[in-house]
Structure formats: structure tokens, C-alpha cells
């Protein structure tokens, strides 16, 4: 067993079955890729859907190939459905979810402008960090971990702070809580604030309706309910957001023609300059980065899977398997953390029983069963396990297997566990839902 | 034929064989991915090596799985060989090549510091743009497109400007020129400047020796000589660069513990904060983004292929096929652009003959033969074709097929072309090299 590094929330401790040791790594060339089989039941990343993996290995085409332009347009259209929006500017940022967050914040907020962040978990702090680095004046309100905000409290803060941007986490994976966003759009519109939502962990597994809720910008990732590999951030921007960003547009040096000038308000990043990304994805197809084609293929497949299933059905599926998982966790005698009326469908936090070793249980799950679960951050580090059922893994067999394994490992770690209690409770939940 | 968008260098004009029309894109769900077969012989992206594509579809593991940590360590070790360095801090940025550039510049240079950029093509302008957005005071010297700088002229500018950072493009794909960098490390060390090199287009196909040349930071991409999909930027930082970046280190809000404080000099970006990326890749494994696992698998395979071949052999291969391609282009009666003593091995710029339509030739190559070649940017847009042989496509069959197709298409477009002249000249070059 290796030492658990400080603050690395999801460290597991088993030995890899097939990968070489880090210490051997200098010996080149390495053996062929052969990662150990894993069932990823933590807070994400989760196993990618096999169709998404296959899409990732489809041969490449050029970035301005008409077929590529068509795939980009298709991808935009699919993500419009996924986000629940008619926003033309619905596209991908080539980076992980936090790249999408940074692209949104740095493009929407100019240095010195006020940003309001209601913080109810680790990812609220991330929004604060990113907004501060973008030069914003950041104001926060805080809710206890395991709870969400009363929307009236957020509205009150908007009235008080008068921010340029209200930046919200929708589902904060660190606490498993889902913040209701409906109604905030109207408040923001009234006070001329833009409304941004980080839906990395919630999109696809929980109701989200960008247009109906008046969301001006939302950003996501693939490695949660979308069932893909991390590394790509689907994003969407409302016409109001696009107008703000348009005011900061600057054609880059090296592409300028007569009449193109520097813009004093230009965005502080080139890579995350959404005005440039709109020009690259739009009809002008103005050169920027080289779209990550394999990643786009994968992202397109993630959205296609959801659209084929139907967004409502996908949310119901996450609700079903999440409820069964929560019931199963309780059936194992564990207490579930946080206000359950506001739990995300796709992840459950179970309090770690006194006297049971976090590392031993997570290590045992991985070592013996090849199943990964996570702990959390900050005040919840070592206090809860986060168990997820999302994307491709929002499946009955994955839920029951995880509960069966957890029963064995918990018992081995000295916990008193009702025999078959987890699987039985989950079975009942499934039967109840079917009735 | 569609209209060629302004300033989109590599737009091609054929109809996709199988992809749906952009206008149909709203109709969901879309047909399965089935891109047209393409031989990508432009300036990159090129076809990925089949082993790299297969690696991209290998099942996922968790970001803190010991197997993942081992793969990350292996990837670092492999890229040390590729970059020619012993730098511990050799890792991946999850974004395209320009994400790597921005991560290096924004981490190395604080607002107000001086950066010197010698510009000899479009990508020098990109360095200027990115450095300016990072708040640097940017000084430039310029060389005519198609030439490179005498290193003495760069040294003179370093003495005059006294920059914090000398930022160099190694191979500028827009002009096909390769700037000699040997000797600049000593100049920079003398004047306490850091030396950065953008090796996106050159690495793997041209000699590059980070340590021997005293390079403090270098960043690359996969879609050129490394034979992978775009979307991942291998980067390396010298101990001197790491020290500078360490002075700007700030643990992010949400992960701080007692004693962790804000840093006035903190880097302006969270995603591109190399100090955080060092902590994430290093022994501490401090949580940052979720490493893009599929992309890492692909990047690791790209490096493994090069290391198996041997870096010198890979450079020789690019030299061989690049010379044969250049000979073939001349054999077709086309003039090659730029100072050929300083051409990158992997790409050739051919002047477009008077009276021949750029769009018709590139469209014909793509439509009839499925072969993509590119034009260039700025002063060279519509004036040259850029034809590349790099990565997986640095192969005799790819070179000869391209030349044979180009002969047919040029003749169809009204050019006078020696019968069989391209293929014949390339054959001779291959025979000469074998002798
Ligand atoms: C020398 C050089 N630098 C940077 C880039 C930008 O790379 P990307 O499009 O992967 O961001 C390119 C792309 O062609 C390049 O050739
Ligand atoms: C709500 C939320 N936001 C942002 C992130 C950061 O995502 P990434 O690691 O893909 O950059 C996560 C990752 O867990 C998340 O759950």
C-alpha cells in the first residue's frame, strides 16, 4: 500500500495489476498499454461507453475538411439538445471541464468587474479561484457543506452585490448537492447580471434547461453523466453572453487584415478567448487551435447516445440507479451524507463508519474487486465515500456489483454489516420503481 | 464548391463523401461516425498512426489509480527522450499545442516583464499575441518570410532588450523554415533570460536537443511529426524555469490547508498554472484537472513509437521523405519556396504557378484522390501549397501517391507538367539516399 498523498481526494491504494512501476518508467520502450480492468464507481471519471471509446479511435480528417465542418455542426446541434438550448454558440473547448469554466469566466468578466459566487462545496471555491485569477472582484456567500442555498438568499446577494456575473455550481460533486437554479435567470436579468452555471457533474443525469432557466453560459465535461473520457468541455453561450464577449473580440496577430485592430478590452487569454472560438466554429472558420478531432468524435458520440436515449429518459435512468444505490448504501448500515432532497441523482456520499479505515476499504475495493470509489475534499476528506452511478455506469449490474463488493470489504475492515443488506435494499428500490 | 472563408488557411472545398450536411445537423440522432478516408499530406494535422488510434480507445482507469500514476510517469520518461532532456518536469498539458504555448508563457512571464520574440512567420506572431495577453512587454525583431535569423542578430537583440524570456518558434509551419537554436541558450544564460521554444511542428522530425541547447521550456503538439491526434501538448521545463515558476506557486482555493496563502505573483490562469501541473504530476499528486486519460494513452503511444524507432532514425526518416517530396515537387515543375538550407524536414512549400487555381487544385486533390494538402497564411495565402510528409505519413507510398495525384490534378487545372516528372524525381531521390 502506498501512502495517501495530502489532499488528493480520490487516491486509491491498490497495486496495479499490469502497469509497470513508476520507478521502472525510464526503461524504454514500455510495454503495450494494458490497464487493469476497472469499474469506476467514484464521483467521476467513470468508464466511458464502448461506443465512445470506439469513436475515439476513428481515423482523422483535416480540420477544414467539409466532413469535419459537418461533424462540428452536428456536435453543436447535439449539445443544444443536451443543454436544453437554442444557443447558436454551443461548442467544445479542447480541455478538461475546468478549461471550460476558465474559458467562460475569462471571456465574460473583464478585470475589475464583480463576480458573485455562492459556495456550497469545493467547486464553488474553484470558481472563486478562477474568477480571481481573471482579475475579477469576487464576492461570496457560503452554505454549509451538505446543503444548498435557498434561491431567495442568492437573489438577495445579487441585489446587494450587483455583480456582472453570478457564477453557480449546479451539482457540486464534493458534497453531492444539486443547487436549484430555476428562478435565478429572472433575478439576474433584472439586475443586468449574467448567469453562469458549472454543470460538469450534473449534465445528462439531472434536469437542466439552459434556456428555460435563463442561463447565459454553461460549461460541462464528459467524464461524469456523459460517459466519455475527460479532456473536452462542451459549452454554451446565450445571445446576451455572446454580445458581451463580442465587445472584447480581437483578431489575433498573424491573422489580421487591414481594419483589424487591437481591442483594449480583449480577453486575457488567447486559448480561452471565446470570441475566437466562435469565429473558429462559426461560418468564418477563422484559424485558431487545431480542433482535437479524436476528442470531438468522442464528445459527439457522448451526446448522440444521450439524444438517442432522450434527455428525460437519461435523467430518469440516473435517478433510478442513484436511488437504488442510496438505498443500498443505507442497507449496508451506512449513513448517507447531506440533504437528500437536494442530492444529485448520480452520486451518493456515505459516511465512513467510526473505526473503519478509509484507505483499507477503498484499497480493498480496488485490489480485490477492481472497483474504484472515492473519498472527498476538505472537511469531507476521509469522512465520506463518494459512490457514483453515472453515464455508462448508471446500470443495475454496476450498482449491485458495487454493493456486493462493498459488503465484503466493509466486513473485512471490521464493520458490522447486515448480511446481503445492501443488495437487498437496492433490489427493493428497483422493484418499487418498476411497480 | 463552397466559398473559401477568409484567412482559413487550410480550407478545402470538396463535398464530404459520407458526413451529413451542416444544414441537416439538427436532425438527431445522427448517423454513425464514418469520415471519408483521407491521406493528410498538409502541414498537419496528419493521419495518426494506427497504434495511436488504438491506444486512444483503450478502457479508462481512475486519475489516481496506481496504474494511471505509472502511465503518467512512463509518459514523462518517454517525452524526456523525445525532447532530449533530463528535466523532471516533462509532462502533458491537456489542450492543443497553443495551450502548451500559453501555459509556458503565462507561467514563465509575469505582467510587465519583457519578452523578445524573433518573428519569421505566422507562429512568431502567435507568440507575440499570447505574450501580450499575458501582460508582457513584447519586443520583436522580424525576418523575411522564407528566411531564418542569423543567431548573431538574435543575440544582439537579447543584449539590447534584456528580456525575461526569449521566445522562439523552432519550425514555423507557415513558411516551412527551421530556425537554428543552438548557441542561443548560452546567450540567454549570460543575460539571465529564459529561453522558450515552440517545437510543435518540428519535434520528432528535426534534431532538437533541449538540454544540449540550453532550452528552459519547450512545448509541442501531437499532430505533426509525432503522428497523433491534436489536443495534447507535451511540455518540458528546466530546473531554472521550474524555480521561476515555483516563485509564483499558489495552492488553489478549495484545497488550501493551514499555512497555504495567496501569492501576489500567482500565475494569471488556473488551468495553465504550471506550478499546479507540476504538483499534479509530481509525487504530491495534488488535485487539479482530471487528466485526459484517452489523450494520455495516445500521447504515450506517440512517444513510444518514436523511442522504439530511435530519435535519430526518426529524424533521418523525415529528412529522407521530405527530400524526396521536395525533389518530386520540383520534378513537377513547381518552384520550392524559402531558403532550402533551413527548411524543416517535414514540410515543403510549393509556389502555386501563375494561372492555376489554388482552390481547384486543393479541391481536386481532396475530391478525386482523398488527399489533403494546404495553403498558408498572410503573405503566402494562395501563393504556396504546403505539402507535408510527417509522423505516420513520412512514408514512401504516401509521398509517391501524393506526387502522382498532384501531377494529374495540376494537368487538369491547366498547368504544364512533365509526364511522370514528380514521381520520377522522388524515386531518384530515394535511390540516391539508398546508395
Ligand atoms: C509552429 C506551430 N505552433 C503552434 C501551432 C498551434 O497548434 P494547435 O493548432 O495545435 O494549437 C502550430 C499549428 O500548426 C504550429 O505549427
Ligand atoms: C462540479 C465540477 N466542476 C469542475 C470539475 C473539474 O473538472 P475537470 O477535472 O474535468 O477539469 C469537476 C470535477 O470533478 C466537478 O465535479
Amino acid at each position: 500500500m502506498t501512502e495517501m498523498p495530502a489532499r488528493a481526494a480520490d487516491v486509491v491504494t491498490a497495486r496495479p495489476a499490469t502497469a509497470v512501476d513508476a520507478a521502472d518508467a525510464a526503461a524504454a520502450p514500455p510495454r503495450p498499454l494494458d490497464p487493469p480492468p476497472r469499474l469506476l464507481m467514484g464521483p467521476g471519471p467513470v468508464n466511458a461507453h464502448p461506443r465512445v471509446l470506439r469513436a475515439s479511435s476513428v481515423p482523422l480528417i483535416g480540420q477544414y475538411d467539409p466532413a469535419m465542418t459537418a461533424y462540428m455542426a452536428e456536435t453543436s446541434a447535439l449539445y443544444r439538445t443536451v443543454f436544453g438550448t437554442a444557443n447558436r454558440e454551443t461548442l467544445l473547448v479542447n480541455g478538461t471541464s475546468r478549461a471550460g469554466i476558465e474559458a467562460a469566466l475569462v471571456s465574460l468578466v473583464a478585470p475589475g468587474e464583480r463576480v458573485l459566487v455562492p459556495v456550497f462545496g469545493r467547486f464553488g471555491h474553484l470558481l472563486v479561484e478562477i474568477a480571481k485569477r481573471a482579475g475579477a472582484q469576487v464576492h461570496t456567500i457560503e452554505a454549509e457543506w451538505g446543503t444548498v442555498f435557498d434561491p431567495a438568499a442568492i437573489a438577495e446577494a445579487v441585489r446587494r452585490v450587483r455583480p456582472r456575473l453570478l457564477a453557480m455550481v449546479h451539482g457540486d460533486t464534493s458534497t453531492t448537492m444539486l443547487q436549484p437554479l430555476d428562478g435565478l435567470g429572472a433575478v439576474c436579468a433584472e439586475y443586468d447580471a449574467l448567469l453562469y452555471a458549472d454543470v460538469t457533474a450534473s449534465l445528462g443525469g439531472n434536469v437542466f434547461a439552459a434556456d428555460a432557466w435563463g442561463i447565459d453560459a454553461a460549461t460541462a465535461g464528459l467524464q461524469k453523466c456523459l460517459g466519455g473520457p475527460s479532456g473536452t468541455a462542451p459549452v454554451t453561450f446565450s445571445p446576451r453572453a455572446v454580445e458581451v464577449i463580442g465587445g472584447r473580440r480581437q483578431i489575433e496577430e498573424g491573422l489580421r487584415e487591414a481594419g483589424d485592430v487591437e481591442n483594449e478590452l480583449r480577453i486575457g487569454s488567447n486559448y480561452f478567448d471565446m470570441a475566437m472560438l466562435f469565429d473558429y466554429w462559426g461560418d468564418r472558420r477563422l484559424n485558431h487551435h487545431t480542433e482535437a478531432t479524436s476528442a470531438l468524435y468522442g464528445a459527439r458520440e457522448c451526446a448522440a447516445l444521450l439524444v438517442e436515449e432522450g434527455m428525460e429518459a437519461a435523467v430518469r435512468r440516473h435517478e433510478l440507479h442513484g436511488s437504488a444505490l442510496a438505498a443500498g448504501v443505507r442497507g449496508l448500515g451506512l449513513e448517507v451524507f447531506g440533504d437528500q432532497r437536494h442530492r444529485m441523482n448520480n452520486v451518493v456520499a456515505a459516511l465512513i463508519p467510526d473505526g473503519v479505515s478509509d484507505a483499507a476499504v477503498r484499497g480493498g475495493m480496488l485490489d480485490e474487486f477492481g472497483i474504484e470509489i472515492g473519498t472527498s475534499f476538505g472537511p469531507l476528506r476521509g469522512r465520506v465515500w463518494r459512490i457514483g452511478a453515472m453515464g455508462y455506469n448508471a446500470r443495475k449490474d454496476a450498482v449491485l456489483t458495487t454493493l456486493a463488493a462493498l459488503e465484503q470489504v466493509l466486513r473485512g475492515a471490521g464493520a458490522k454489516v447486515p448480511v446481503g443488506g445492501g443488495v437487498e435494499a437496492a433490489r427493493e428500490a428497483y422493484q418499487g420503481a418498476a411497480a
Side-chain angles (χ1 to χ4, degrees), chain A:
Chain A
M1 296 255 184
T2 52
E3 191 63 48
M4 190 169 84
R7 286 170 291 187
D10 297 306
V11 170
V12 286
T13 48
R15 302 289 310 149
T18 53
V20 302
D21 278 331
D24 296 337
R31 279 171 260 174
L33 263 181
D34 186 17
R38 298 291 195 221
L39 180 60
L40 302 176
M41 298 297 283
V46 298
N47 299 84
H49 192 291
R51 258 177 61 183
V52 176
L53 291 179
R54 283 197 296 273
S56 308
S57 68
V58 164
L60 304 183
I61 51 180
Q63 64 168 324
Y64 290 112
D65 195 306
M68 182 69 181
T69 302
Y71 284 140
M72 290 168 77
E74 274 183 30
T75 303
S76 289
L78 287 164
Y79 278 99
R80 279 183 203 111
T81 303
V82 173
F83 280 116
T85 185
N87 290 339
R88 190 187 57 182
E89 301 303 357
T90 303
L91 61 162
L92 304 178
V93 170
N94 285 166
T96 73
S97 325
R98 66 165 70 196
I101 298 172
E102 186 161 328
L105 297 189
V106 82
S107 296
L108 288 169
V109 183
E113 288 184 326
R114 280 190 299 278
V115 172
L116 173 63
V117 186
V119 176
F120 60 101
R122 181 244 191 283
F123 290 103
H125 289 294
L126 180 62
L127 299 188
V128 172
E129 173 86 17
I130 293 174
K132 278 192 185 163
R133 291 197 187 213
Q137 268 186 47
V138 181
H139 298 252
T140 58
I141 53 176
E142 300 214 18
E144 206 188 326
W145 286 39
T147 71
V148 298
F149 290 92
D150 180 344
I154 299 174
E156 197 281 313
V158 170
R159 272 190 287 275
R160 184 167 43 80
V161 173
R162 299 290 172 99
R164 179 78 200 92
L165 182 79
L166 170 62
M168 300 291 316
V169 173
H170 187 213
D172 198 311
T173 346
S174 66
T175 68
T176 75
M177 292 297 104
L178 186 79
Q179 173 64 49
L181 300 179
D182 199 0
L184 297 180
V187 175
C188 286
E190 190 181 339
Y191 293 94
D192 199 30
L194 294 163
L195 176 55
Y196 162 79
D198 171 9
V199 298
T200 302
S202 51
L203 190 69
N206 304 269
V207 174
F208 180 72
D211 285 1
W213 295 353
I215 307 279
D216 292 300
T219 69
L222 301 186
Q223 75 269 27
K224 316 272 181 182
C225 303
L226 271 61
S230 75
T232 305
V235 301
T236 189
F237 293 85
S238 74
R240 205 158 70 107
V242 171
E243 202 187 310
V244 169
I245 292 170
R248 304 180 66 195
R249 184 164 177 273
Q250 172 179 303
I251 305 246
E252 81 180 18
E253 200 153 327
L255 294 182
R256 282 187 209 138
E257 292 183 342
D260 294 336
V261 289
E262 299 213 346
N263 184 339
E264 292 235 318
L265 295 171
R266 65 153 181 246
I267 292 160
S269 165
N270 171 287
Y271 195 68
F272 292 139
D273 183 321
M274 289 307 313
M276 284 187 181
L277 286 166
F278 299 159
D279 280 343
Y280 179 65
W281 278 71
D283 295 336
R284 305 183 67 191
R285 293 296 269 116
L286 209 53
N287 185 254
H288 186 247
H289 67 291
T290 307
E291 186 62 20
T293 311
S294 302
L296 179 121
Y297 289 165
R300 177 183 170 283
E301 201 71 20
C302 289
L305 280 159
L306 280 177
V307 169
E308 285 170 29
E309 179 178 15
M311 295 308 296
E312 281 179 37
V315 170
R316 275 200 309 274
R317 174 169 55 89
H318 282 87
E319 198 180 2
L320 173 66
H321 297 293
S323 313
L325 179 62
V329 161
R330 283 202 198 82
L332 288 171
L334 301 176
E335 197 180 324
V336 169
F337 171 81
D339 179 352
Q340 294 303 294
R341 292 165 308 171
H342 293 291
R343 189 172 56 70
M344 292 160 72
N345 287 327
N346 47 304
V347 58
V348 174
L351 284 165
I352 300 175
D354 284 341
V356 172
S357 155
D358 169 30
V361 169
R362 287 192 294 127
M365 288 291 283
L366 196 74
D367 253 341
E368 294 194 314
F369 296 93
I371 299 176
E372 178 176 288
I373 64 172
T375 180
S376 189
F377 298 93
L380 294 180
R381 180 153 59 95
R383 262 195 70 212
V384 301
W385 291 308
R386 289 181 300 162
I387 312 180
M390 59 188 107
Y392 182 58
N393 290 354
R395 298 191 323 260
K396 189 170 173 177
D397 63 297
V399 168
L400 295 183
T401 303
T402 302
L403 291 167
L406 190 55
E407 175 181 338
Q408 303 299 326
V409 173
L410 278 172
R411 194 169 294 124
K416 276 215 161 14
V417 198
V419 175
V423 168
E424 193 47 41
R427 275 195 196 118
E428 273 166 31
Y430 281 122
Q431 276 153 14

mmCIF file with all atom_site columns, all heavy atoms in Angstrom, chain A residues 63 271 287-291, ligand 1:
data_model
loop_
_atom_site.group_PDB
_atom_site.id
_atom_site.type_symbol
_atom_site.label_atom_id
_atom_site.label_alt_id
_atom_site.label_comp_id
_atom_site.label_asym_id
_atom_site.label_entity_id
_atom_site.label_seq_id
_atom_site.pdbx_PDB_ins_code
_atom_site.Cartn_x
_atom_site.Cartn_y
_atom_site.Cartn_z
_atom_site.occupancy
_atom_site.B_iso_or_equiv
_atom_site.pdbx_formal_charge
_atom_site.auth_seq_id
_atom_site.auth_comp_id
_atom_site.auth_asym_id
_atom_site.auth_atom_id
_atom_site.pdbx_PDB_model_num
ATOM   1  N N   . GLN A 1 63  ? -8.722  19.610 -40.341 1.00 0.00 ? 63  GLN A N   1
ATOM   2  C CA  . GLN A 1 63  ? -9.579  20.495 -39.540 1.00 0.00 ? 63  GLN A CA  1
ATOM   3  C C   . GLN A 1 63  ? -10.526 21.339 -40.386 1.00 0.00 ? 63  GLN A C   1
ATOM   4  O O   . GLN A 1 63  ? -11.527 21.830 -39.879 1.00 0.00 ? 63  GLN A O   1
ATOM   5  C CB  . GLN A 1 63  ? -8.766  21.363 -38.584 1.00 0.00 ? 63  GLN A CB  1
ATOM   6  C CG  . GLN A 1 63  ? -7.826  22.361 -39.243 1.00 0.00 ? 63  GLN A CG  1
ATOM   7  C CD  . GLN A 1 63  ? -7.286  23.365 -38.222 1.00 0.00 ? 63  GLN A CD  1
ATOM   8  O OE1 . GLN A 1 63  ? -7.976  23.769 -37.306 1.00 0.00 ? 63  GLN A OE1 1
ATOM   9  N NE2 . GLN A 1 63  ? -6.036  23.763 -38.395 1.00 0.00 ? 63  GLN A NE2 1
ATOM   10 N N   . TYR A 1 271 ? -6.053  31.159 -25.754 1.00 0.00 ? 271 TYR A N   1
ATOM   11 C CA  . TYR A 1 271 ? -6.647  29.824 -25.914 1.00 0.00 ? 271 TYR A CA  1
ATOM   12 C C   . TYR A 1 271 ? -8.103  29.819 -25.487 1.00 0.00 ? 271 TYR A C   1
ATOM   13 O O   . TYR A 1 271 ? -8.926  29.119 -26.059 1.00 0.00 ? 271 TYR A O   1
ATOM   14 C CB  . TYR A 1 271 ? -5.851  28.801 -25.095 1.00 0.00 ? 271 TYR A CB  1
ATOM   15 C CG  . TYR A 1 271 ? -6.159  27.367 -25.475 1.00 0.00 ? 271 TYR A CG  1
ATOM   16 C CD1 . TYR A 1 271 ? -5.793  26.870 -26.709 1.00 0.00 ? 271 TYR A CD1 1
ATOM   17 C CD2 . TYR A 1 271 ? -6.814  26.511 -24.593 1.00 0.00 ? 271 TYR A CD2 1
ATOM   18 C CE1 . TYR A 1 271 ? -6.062  25.555 -27.076 1.00 0.00 ? 271 TYR A CE1 1
ATOM   19 C CE2 . TYR A 1 271 ? -7.087  25.198 -24.940 1.00 0.00 ? 271 TYR A CE2 1
ATOM   20 C CZ  . TYR A 1 271 ? -6.709  24.724 -26.186 1.00 0.00 ? 271 TYR A CZ  1
ATOM   21 O OH  . TYR A 1 271 ? -6.985  23.426 -26.534 1.00 0.00 ? 271 TYR A OH  1
ATOM   22 N N   . ASN A 1 287 ? -8.958  30.620 -38.455 1.00 0.00 ? 287 ASN A N   1
ATOM   23 C CA  . ASN A 1 287 ? -7.967  29.738 -37.811 1.00 0.00 ? 287 ASN A CA  1
ATOM   24 C C   . ASN A 1 287 ? -7.704  30.104 -36.354 1.00 0.00 ? 287 ASN A C   1
ATOM   25 O O   . ASN A 1 287 ? -7.482  31.255 -36.008 1.00 0.00 ? 287 ASN A O   1
ATOM   26 C CB  . ASN A 1 287 ? -6.653  29.813 -38.610 1.00 0.00 ? 287 ASN A CB  1
ATOM   27 C CG  . ASN A 1 287 ? -5.595  28.854 -38.118 1.00 0.00 ? 287 ASN A CG  1
ATOM   28 O OD1 . ASN A 1 287 ? -4.638  29.261 -37.488 1.00 0.00 ? 287 ASN A OD1 1
ATOM   29 N ND2 . ASN A 1 287 ? -5.771  27.566 -38.376 1.00 0.00 ? 287 ASN A ND2 1
ATOM   30 N N   . HIS A 1 288 ? -7.761  29.102 -35.498 1.00 0.00 ? 288 HIS A N   1
ATOM   31 C CA  . HIS A 1 288 ? -7.380  29.263 -34.092 1.00 0.00 ? 288 HIS A CA  1
ATOM   32 C C   . HIS A 1 288 ? -6.566  28.013 -33.769 1.00 0.00 ? 288 HIS A C   1
ATOM   33 O O   . HIS A 1 288 ? -5.602  27.718 -34.480 1.00 0.00 ? 288 HIS A O   1
ATOM   34 C CB  . HIS A 1 288 ? -8.636  29.454 -33.210 1.00 0.00 ? 288 HIS A CB  1
ATOM   35 C CG  . HIS A 1 288 ? -8.349  29.778 -31.784 1.00 0.00 ? 288 HIS A CG  1
ATOM   36 N ND1 . HIS A 1 288 ? -8.636  28.927 -30.743 1.00 0.00 ? 288 HIS A ND1 1
ATOM   37 C CD2 . HIS A 1 288 ? -7.788  30.874 -31.216 1.00 0.00 ? 288 HIS A CD2 1
ATOM   38 C CE1 . HIS A 1 288 ? -8.256  29.484 -29.603 1.00 0.00 ? 288 HIS A CE1 1
ATOM   39 N NE2 . HIS A 1 288 ? -7.746  30.675 -29.854 1.00 0.00 ? 288 HIS A NE2 1
ATOM   40 N N   . HIS A 1 289 ? -6.943  27.256 -32.746 1.00 0.00 ? 289 HIS A N   1
ATOM   41 C CA  . HIS A 1 289 ? -6.262  25.991 -32.492 1.00 0.00 ? 289 HIS A CA  1
ATOM   42 C C   . HIS A 1 289 ? -6.696  24.958 -33.554 1.00 0.00 ? 289 HIS A C   1
ATOM   43 O O   . HIS A 1 289 ? -7.609  25.214 -34.335 1.00 0.00 ? 289 HIS A O   1
ATOM   44 C CB  . HIS A 1 289 ? -6.651  25.498 -31.096 1.00 0.00 ? 289 HIS A CB  1
ATOM   45 C CG  . HIS A 1 289 ? -8.092  25.117 -31.026 1.00 0.00 ? 289 HIS A CG  1
ATOM   46 N ND1 . HIS A 1 289 ? -9.113  26.056 -31.097 1.00 0.00 ? 289 HIS A ND1 1
ATOM   47 C CD2 . HIS A 1 289 ? -8.711  23.921 -30.964 1.00 0.00 ? 289 HIS A CD2 1
ATOM   48 C CE1 . HIS A 1 289 ? -10.266 25.435 -31.055 1.00 0.00 ? 289 HIS A CE1 1
ATOM   49 N NE2 . HIS A 1 289 ? -10.064 24.140 -30.981 1.00 0.00 ? 289 HIS A NE2 1
ATOM   50 N N   . THR A 1 290 ? -6.051  23.801 -33.535 1.00 0.00 ? 290 THR A N   1
ATOM   51 C CA  . THR A 1 290 ? -6.456  22.693 -34.404 1.00 0.00 ? 290 THR A CA  1
ATOM   52 C C   . THR A 1 290 ? -7.411  21.809 -33.612 1.00 0.00 ? 290 THR A C   1
ATOM   53 O O   . THR A 1 290 ? -7.003  21.159 -32.649 1.00 0.00 ? 290 THR A O   1
ATOM   54 C CB  . THR A 1 290 ? -5.219  21.854 -34.804 1.00 0.00 ? 290 THR A CB  1
ATOM   55 O OG1 . THR A 1 290 ? -4.238  22.733 -35.356 1.00 0.00 ? 290 THR A OG1 1
ATOM   56 C CG2 . THR A 1 290 ? -5.592  20.777 -35.817 1.00 0.00 ? 290 THR A CG2 1
ATOM   57 N N   . GLU A 1 291 ? -8.671  21.824 -33.998 1.00 0.00 ? 291 GLU A N   1
ATOM   58 C CA  . GLU A 1 291 ? -9.660  21.080 -33.221 1.00 0.00 ? 291 GLU A CA  1
ATOM   59 C C   . GLU A 1 291 ? -9.180  19.651 -32.948 1.00 0.00 ? 291 GLU A C   1
ATOM   60 O O   . GLU A 1 291 ? -8.703  18.957 -33.846 1.00 0.00 ? 291 GLU A O   1
ATOM   61 C CB  . GLU A 1 291 ? -11.006 21.061 -33.952 1.00 0.00 ? 291 GLU A CB  1
ATOM   62 C CG  . GLU A 1 291 ? -12.149 20.430 -33.172 1.00 0.00 ? 291 GLU A CG  1
ATOM   63 C CD  . GLU A 1 291 ? -12.475 21.158 -31.861 1.00 0.00 ? 291 GLU A CD  1
ATOM   64 O OE1 . GLU A 1 291 ? -12.104 22.339 -31.696 1.00 0.00 ? 291 GLU A OE1 1
ATOM   65 O OE2 . GLU A 1 291 ? -13.090 20.524 -30.979 1.00 0.00 ? 291 GLU A OE2 1
HETATM 66 C C1  . LIG C 2 .   ? 4.711   26.041 -35.003 1.00 0.00 ? 1   LIG C C1  1
HETATM 67 C C2  . LIG C 2 .   ? 3.306   25.928 -34.530 1.00 0.00 ? 1   LIG C C2  1
HETATM 68 N N1  . LIG C 2 .   ? 2.975   26.432 -33.331 1.00 0.00 ? 1   LIG C N1  1
HETATM 69 C C3  . LIG C 2 .   ? 1.720   26.360 -32.859 1.00 0.00 ? 1   LIG C C3  1
HETATM 70 C C4  . LIG C 2 .   ? 0.712   25.776 -33.570 1.00 0.00 ? 1   LIG C C4  1
HETATM 71 C C5  . LIG C 2 .   ? -0.675  25.749 -32.995 1.00 0.00 ? 1   LIG C C5  1
HETATM 72 O O1  . LIG C 2 .   ? -1.036  24.439 -32.739 1.00 0.00 ? 1   LIG C O1  1
HETATM 73 P P1  . LIG C 2 .   ? -2.526  23.966 -32.349 1.00 0.00 ? 1   LIG C P1  1
HETATM 74 O O2  . LIG C 2 .   ? -3.343  24.226 -33.557 1.00 0.00 ? 1   LIG C O2  1
HETATM 75 O O3  . LIG C 2 .   ? -2.354  22.516 -32.051 1.00 0.00 ? 1   LIG C O3  1
HETATM 76 O O4  . LIG C 2 .   ? -2.957  24.748 -31.164 1.00 0.00 ? 1   LIG C O4  1
HETATM 77 C C6  . LIG C 2 .   ? 1.005   25.227 -34.823 1.00 0.00 ? 1   LIG C C6  1
HETATM 78 C C7  . LIG C 2 .   ? -0.072  24.610 -35.633 1.00 0.00 ? 1   LIG C C7  1
HETATM 79 O O5  . LIG C 2 .   ? 0.041   24.425 -36.818 1.00 0.00 ? 1   LIG C O5  1
HETATM 80 C C8  . LIG C 2 .   ? 2.322   25.308 -35.304 1.00 0.00 ? 1   LIG C C8  1
HETATM 81 O O6  . LIG C 2 .   ? 2.645   24.787 -36.498 1.00 0.00 ? 1   LIG C O6  1
#
